[in-house]
Amino acid sequence: LLIVAVTAGSPAAAAGLLVGDLVLEFDGVTIASPEDLLDALAGDRVEKPAVVRVLRGGAEQSLTVTVGERPS
């Protein structure tokens, strides 16, 4: 899943995710589509940390993000 925007002040920004990062895994779950990410975020995850594995500039990196509430 290619990141095309990161909102300033968001949990993604705080974790260091950047536009152009390719999300490979979210907390051990392979991410191949936006639906995969939504499924991985389902449940009681707010304020809980998760490891996000991304491909950036040809190298894999692991970042820790604290999940926030989804805007309504």
Side-chain angles (χ1 to χ4, degrees):
L1 178 66
L2 181 66
I3 296 179
V4 296
V6 177
T7 302
S10 69
L17 289 165
L18 301 175
V19 170
D21 284 349
L22 182 64
V23 178
L24 305 173
E25 287 184 0
F26 181 88
D27 228 16
V29 176
T30 300
I31 304 299
S33 70
E35 292 79 19
D36 290 342
L37 184 57
L38 290 174
D39 289 346
L41 287 166
D44 184 26
R45 302 212 43 122
V46 175
E47 299 300 323
K48 295 180 181 171
V51 175
V52 179
R53 193 165 58 92
V54 300
L55 185 64
R56 179 185 294 166
E60 290 186 18
Q61 294 186 9
S62 293
L63 306 168
T64 301
V65 61
T66 299
V67 178
E69 288 195 37
R70 193 167 170 203
S72 49

